[in-house]
Amino acid sequence: MNKRPLLLVALLAVCSSIYAQNGASLSISDTSGPLISRHIYGHFSEDLGRCIYDGFWTGDHIRMDVVDALKKIKVPVLRWPGGCYADQYHWRDAIGPRDQRKATVNTTWGMVTEDNSFGTHEFLELCGLLGCEPYIAGNVGTGTPEEMSNWLEYLNYDGKSTLANLRRQNGRDKPWKVSFWGVGNESWGCGGSMTPEFYAMQYRRYAEFCKSYPGAPLKLIASGANSDDYNWTDAVMKNITLWNTWGLSMHYYTLAGDWNHKGSATQFGEDIYFKAMKACLRMEEIVNKHASIMDKYDPAKKVALVVDEWGIWTDPEPGSHPGFLYQQNSLRDALIAGTTLNIFNNHTDRVKMANLAQTVNVLQALVLTEKDKMLLTPTYHVFDLYKVHQDAHSLVLKLNSPDYTFGGEKIPAVNASASRDSVGAVHISLVNIDPSKKATVRIALQGLPSKSVQGQMLTSAKYTDINTFDQPNKVRTAVFSGAKKDGGDLVVEMPAESIVVLELK
Ligand code: AHR
């Protein structure tokens, strides 16, 4: 008997099983879906630790190095002043001559004195410099509808009134036309420990006095659920006035452990890495479940799901103030950002805004500062790579991913999203979270432009790699040349633990 055919079959079987372990296939529909709102690429900056004070603000001016870095990634929207701090914030404490502003205590974050040198005018100047839209979270917890409606008049009224005149006296003639407006924050917890039914009644009352001034239509955002608290979403959607609601928020943080054992930002092994990735991927399930509850009350999808706090939350850096939430940022965190943004891009029919927590020096920051030095974190580079998706049309994907297995558990190794921009270029963002296996992603090119294929990549030798003030460019983007045409397909060889963004023209 001739044994050669058998040998060939055996060889082919071995090859195809290797391919099955490392190979992914992706097909992309050529019909454009809903727009990926640029606001999905939004950020969040709270009066917390060194985010504003020492991050954006020196005490008398805005740091232009930080502004210039953030302009490059096209920050579309910035949320402020909290977070939890929003519900203890009284806007009048932080307007007028700086030397006459009230000193207050930040009882939420670190029990430190706030000199309030950064207030409404400074925040809106910052947004102007960044070229982004402001998103202000109003105070429901310790505020009143009167205080909130006065703030809006101060911000947005162009005519003559005592408050509009006070704004002029404080140096701003024209109204800012702030549109995105949060009615409280985490009202189930730090925002007032309310039940959803009680909050819904508060929302109705506050919303009634939040007026849209001429030329400044308000987009009201109701305070939403804590991660998988679906009951909150159900009860709030059922009881609030949907006609004057633009969005409902939801907060979900990636934890590698639990709230009492979050783990180090820099020292961790694959067990913790795997847990963090698994937790990050849960965003998909959480978004889907909140969205389907919203569908019940709002089948036309008029109300946006606003994920206005997300990101990985680790232990603070040793030696830093525990209330300041200062954490380093590794390649792992960049993979979390890339994966989460892919999830948002793929749910753009309901998710219309998201805000990473928090821009500078706090939690999953884009920028870290130390005196007059500044560095860009691995997460910053993800936002730089992904900015091509802003306001592009989402494309529907079908992805078959190999598994990333660890400790008897498995999660998809590869995730992706794609969009077509206004000039017809297609961008595909791919993340391979497997820390030791490369992935071969075979993309069917049918219906996609393919005259020119270019790519950029973010990876590093270890998932714990970070950028430091001594070595600020250890984790950075590089040109990617691992995509090759093969017949009607594009074959993309992704290194382990990498993010690749391709541009097809
Ligand atoms: O981002 C830090 C805190 O996390 C915010 O202040 C709060 O809204 C959330 O619990």
Side-chain angles (χ1 to χ4, degrees):
M1 184 188 157
N2 182 356
K3 291 200 176 135
R4 273 205 200 134
L6 272 183
L7 209 64
L8 198 66
V9 169
L11 202 68
L12 279 174
V14 169
C15 289
S16 71
S17 83
I18 290 169
Y19 186 77
Q21 274 171 31
N22 301 310
S25 65
L26 178 64
S27 61
I28 300 174
S29 144
D30 56 358
T31 38
S32 297
L35 214 65
I36 296 176
S37 163
R38 64 180 181 283
H39 298 117
I40 283 175
Y41 291 84
H43 293 280
F44 167 41
S45 292
E46 183 165 9
D47 277 2
L48 189 181
R50 297 173 51 243
C51 183
I52 298 293
Y53 296 96
D54 222 22
F56 277 118
W57 180 246
T58 64
D60 62 6
H61 66 270
I62 290 168
R63 282 186 69 141
M64 287 310 290
D65 54 347
V66 175
V67 166
D68 288 343
L70 294 173
K71 269 173 89 166
K72 185 163 175 263
I73 59 167
K74 296 195 173 152
V75 170
V77 60
L78 191 63
R79 178 175 183 250
W80 172 85
C84 293
Y85 190 67
D87 284 290
Q88 73 159 110
Y89 187 72
H90 300 287
W91 66 275
R92 285 174 195 267
D93 295 345
I95 55 166
R98 286 200 196 106
D99 58 356
Q100 288 165 35
R101 291 188 189 175
K102 221 167 152 181
T104 52
V105 189
N106 190 330
T107 55
T108 316
W109 302 114
M111 281 286 172
V112 289
T113 304
E114 294 274 333
D115 66 11
N116 282 308
S117 57
F118 188 95
T120 298
H121 289 249
E122 290 77 14
F123 172 65
L124 290 158
E125 185 194 341
L126 172 63
C127 291
L129 291 169
L130 290 170
C132 77
E133 285 177 73
Y135 167 16
I136 293 182
N139 179 346
V140 170
T142 63
T144 61
E146 182 190 22
E147 183 186 20
M148 197 181 281
S149 70
N150 284 347
W151 199 3
L152 279 163
E153 183 180 325
Y154 184 87
L155 292 163
N156 286 353
Y157 185 48
D158 201 8
K160 284 202 179 78
S161 76
T162 304
L163 285 166
N165 291 347
L166 180 61
R167 179 190 72 231
R168 291 187 186 100
Q169 195 185 307
N170 288 333
R172 173 78 186 192
D173 180 26
K174 284 286 158 202
W176 285 283
K177 302 187 177 171
V178 174
S179 186
F180 292 116
W181 194 264
V183 182
N185 167 75
E186 295 195 352
S187 303
W188 42 265
C190 64
S193 284
M194 303 176 198
T195 63
E197 291 78 13
F198 182 80
Y199 171 72
M201 295 308 128
Q202 294 298 310
Y203 176 87
R204 293 171 78 110
R205 180 164 170 243
Y206 275 73
E208 192 58 38
F209 299 101
C210 289
K211 303 292 182 192
S212 284
Y213 289 90
L218 270 189
K219 292 177 175 165
L220 290 184
I221 298 170
S223 172
N226 178 17
S227 56
D228 59 1
D229 182 357
Y230 304 116
N231 178 48
W232 181 277
T233 296
D234 198 297
V236 169
M237 283 298 288
K238 188 170 172 186
N239 291 303
I240 61 175
T241 42
L242 292 179
W243 64 268
N244 59 0
T245 301
W246 183 83
L248 172 64
S249 83
M250 186 277 282
H251 293 174
Y252 176 65
Y253 283 98
T254 295
L255 296 175
D258 57 41
W259 284 106
N260 297 320
H261 309 92
K262 300 184 203 79
S264 160
T266 53
Q267 315 281 319
F268 52 89
E270 193 170 348
D271 52 340
I272 298 297
Y273 174 86
F274 184 88
K275 279 188 189 157
M277 288 302 157
K278 192 173 163 202
C280 152
L281 285 164
R282 259 199 91 207
M283 180 66 93
E284 170 115 45
E285 172 197 324
I286 290 176
V287 163
N288 274 332
K289 289 193 176 162
H290 284 293
S292 72
I293 294 165
M294 293 175 80
D295 285 349
K296 249 193 338 182
Y297 301 99
D298 171 37
K301 298 186 194 292
K302 288 190 176 146
V303 179
L305 180 60
V306 177
V307 188
D308 53 16
E309 289 185 30
W310 67 273
I312 182 158
W313 191 324
T314 70
D315 288 341
E317 280 306 295
S320 66
H321 189 311
F324 282 10
L325 313 185
Y326 175 73
Q327 67 189 47
Q328 248 294 359
N329 193 292
S330 65
L331 175 66
R332 172 194 64 181
D333 304 347
L335 296 163
I336 286 172
T339 300
T340 307
L341 292 170
N342 278 343
I343 293 170
F344 294 155
N345 284 348
N346 291 330
H347 288 85
T348 194
D349 58 332
R350 186 62 90 172
V351 180
K352 304 285 183 197
M353 195 202 283
N355 309 71
L356 177 69
Q358 301 194 3
T359 329
V360 192
N361 293 331
V362 170
L363 299 178
Q364 190 170 352
L366 302 169
V367 170
L368 302 179
T369 65
E370 195 178 82
K371 301 210 173 74
D372 57 355
K373 287 197 263 180
M374 180 198 88
L375 67 79
L376 307 176
T377 66
T379 297
Y380 172 94
H381 294 300
V382 176
F383 278 80
D384 194 19
L385 291 177
Y386 276 54
K387 67 187 176 201
V388 288
H389 291 303
Q390 291 193 22
D391 283 344
H393 284 278
S394 60
L395 296 171
V396 177
L397 312 172
K398 211 165 159 266
L399 172 70
N400 287 312
S401 166
D403 292 327
Y404 162 33
T405 47
F406 182 84
E409 285 191 87
K410 57 182 184 188
I411 51 180
V414 177
N415 62 78
S417 68
S419 66
R420 187 191 302 272
D421 71 13
S422 56
V423 294
V426 167
H427 294 101
I428 306 169
S429 42
L430 298 158
V431 184
N432 177 17
I433 62 175
D434 194 310
S436 42
K437 283 189 192 149
K438 40 185 205 162
T440 304
V441 186
R442 185 169 277 273
I443 304 173
L445 282 172
Q446 204 189 358
L448 302 178
S450 62
K451 270 196 193 128
S452 125
V453 177
Q454 288 182 333
Q456 281 186 283
M457 175 176 66
L458 185 72
T459 188
S460 195
K462 291 184 281 169
Y463 48 67
T464 46
D465 281 350
I466 57 174
N467 290 337
T468 63
F469 291 98
D470 292 332
Q471 223 183 330
N473 292 316
K474 190 177 176 104
V475 187
R476 61 167 195 270
T477 48
V479 170
F480 177 71
S481 50
K484 301 270 176 315
K485 278 193 223 167
D486 178 24
D489 292 344
L490 187 68
V491 178
V492 186
E493 299 287 355
M494 296 184 74
E497 52 191 15
S498 68
I499 299 169
V500 168
V501 176
L502 299 171
E503 180 172 75
L504 277 58
K505 282 182 175 167

